[in-house]
Amino acid sequence: MTGGPLAGVRVVEFDAIGPVPLAAMILGDFGCEIVRISRAGRPPSPSADGPILGRGRRNIALDLKSAADRDTALAIVARADVVLEGNRPGVMERLGLGPDACLAANPKLVYGRMTGWGQTGPLAQIAGHDINYIALTGALHAIGGADRPVPPLNLVGDYGGGTMLLALGVVSALVSARTTGTGQVVDAAMTDGSALLMTMFYAMHAAGHWRDRREANLLDGGAPFYRTYACADGGHVAVGAIEPAFFAALLAGLALDAAGIDQSDRAAWPALANRFASRFAERSRDDWAEVFAGTDACVTPVLSLSEAPDHAHNRARATFAAPTGPMQPMPAPRFSKTPATTVPPESTDSAAILHAWGIR
């Protein structure tokens, strides 16, 4: 891999699921040279090893229970700038590849650790998934209909609180290592990260501006001008007309008389939502998209995964492309001087990989 803002940075990715492969993919898009150490004999994962999440790195299979293969892994780590791993606390230490061993071999190393609960705490050794981690931080409680919480895919815990903060932490520690000559461990926990993502809502709650129940607030579907509505064809539109000028544009597009409508009157929100719902149900999703096109009403069609890449705005920005066959999201954010790029999964020739890193 060449080019990108992180060109020249070497990353070792120990085989994991969830947020670690996405973090490695992003770092690879940004120019890092990544070697993924997978478990010998493990069947390929259709997601993590495929042409999308698996893009931008080379793979070498090692049996980390073998002394010889552990030595090989440690030799690779000694030539790296960053390690990414996503095992339960203590697993890497038992393999002889924990932070102490790796930093002894490479004092400038940034050792990024990704777990759900973190390296410490009473739940550190307990199994869990995204839904469990965001349940303990207040995030899940705040998302969904009034009757029950709804998991927001695994975007908040795994990928928002996990991947993104792991990547930020690793890059921050890398800057520090290059300044000080000393590496460190980055303990990225999905509970910590998803709690951090909730900062604004905790601030609003503390100030008395957020009710601690679903569909009762400005941004959780409680407001009639910030929610989705079903259309005549079964499609949906997303409405986000928060500011008064945008709300006025929404009313105009719906051909509703603004007289007597007070956007700030919470008591009137349910009745207003019913009026909006009845109006949106009269026409198809794409009809409404045409009505609101070019306006500041903040009304957009809710697109499916198969539809989104073909939207004119996404096409204009090349937000999606198919460089390796399947359609996939392209790197973000954009860099003016060192643009990120995508490449397909690279060689799995172990001898060639080791030779390229000065081993054997």
Side-chain angles (χ1 to χ4, degrees):
M1 171 75 75
T2 60
L6 295 177
V9 174
R10 284 181 160 182
V11 177
V12 175
E13 172 198 4
F14 283 97
D15 191 21
I17 61 173
V20 171
L22 182 59
M25 186 205 82
I26 292 170
L27 294 175
D29 288 348
F30 289 178
C32 291
E33 180 183 355
I34 300 180
V35 168
R36 174 191 236 187
I37 297 178
S38 62
R39 289 167 285 174
R42 178 188 67 82
S45 164
S47 57
D49 297 317
I52 300 178
L53 272 177
R55 74 192 188 203
R57 62 259 220 197
R58 295 177 290 180
N59 184 80
I60 181 170
L62 297 175
D63 178 5
L64 297 181
K65 294 181 180 180
S66 155
D69 280 7
R70 280 199 306 273
D71 288 345
T72 298
L74 195 59
I76 296 171
V77 168
R79 290 159 174 80
D81 300 290
V82 175
V83 160
L84 301 177
E85 66 96 359
N87 293 289
R88 288 199 202 188
V91 169
M92 295 300 286
E93 283 84 352
R94 289 193 291 275
L95 290 171
L97 293 167
D100 290 346
C102 290
L103 282 162
N106 184 353
K108 294 183 179 181
L109 183 71
V110 173
Y111 196 103
R113 317 197 80 173
M114 183 76 258
T115 58
W117 307 112
Q119 295 296 314
T120 60
L123 297 179
Q125 292 294 336
I126 301 299
H129 282 293
D130 182 285
I131 193 171
N132 309 115
Y133 310 137
I134 67 174
L136 258 62
T137 63
L140 182 58
H141 179 270
I143 299 170
D147 58 332
R148 66 185 178 95
V150 174
L153 304 180
N154 59 336
L155 295 175
V156 175
D158 271 7
Y159 298 131
T163 289
M164 296 305 173
L165 290 173
L166 173 63
L168 174 62
V170 161
V171 172
S172 300
L174 187 61
V175 171
S176 174
R178 293 193 167 183
T179 301
T180 66
T182 303
Q184 61 183 300
V185 177
V186 178
D187 175 6
M190 295 176 218
T191 47
D192 299 344
S194 61
L196 184 66
L197 295 179
M198 290 290 291
T199 297
M200 184 182 79
F201 304 100
Y202 274 99
M204 293 173 71
H205 183 255
H209 301 313
W210 190 269
R211 300 177 183 181
D212 204 9
R213 63 179 189 272
R214 291 175 299 283
E215 287 192 328
N217 300 284
L218 180 66
L219 302 174
D220 66 353
F225 47 85
Y226 199 89
R227 61 165 64 181
T228 60
Y229 290 96
C231 302
D233 60 347
H236 291 80
V237 292
V239 176
I242 296 176
E243 291 79 1
F246 303 162
F247 183 72
L250 171 64
L251 296 181
L254 291 173
L256 294 175
D257 187 354
I261 296 180
D262 181 359
Q263 182 184 11
S264 65
D265 183 4
R266 286 177 176 257
W269 279 3
L272 185 57
N274 288 335
R275 289 184 68 184
F276 286 175
S278 295
R279 192 76 178 92
F280 277 116
E282 294 175 4
R283 303 178 68 169
S284 72
R285 182 197 69 178
D286 292 346
D287 282 346
W288 285 118
E290 186 174 347
V291 166
F292 287 104
T295 75
D296 281 341
C298 301
V299 177
T300 52
V302 177
L303 302 178
S304 69
L305 271 66
S306 58
E307 293 175 311
D310 198 42
H311 188 274
H313 184 79
N314 292 332
R315 289 202 312 270
R317 287 187 57 82
T319 302
F320 298 88
T324 59
M327 187 63 68
Q328 56 192 281
M330 290 293 95
R334 313 289 174 90
F335 299 91
S336 63
K337 298 292 186 182
T338 55
T341 58
T342 62
V343 297
E346 297 184 40
S347 168
T348 57
D349 183 335
S350 298
I353 294 170
L354 295 174
H355 178 74
W357 278 46
I359 304 167
R360 296 181 186 172

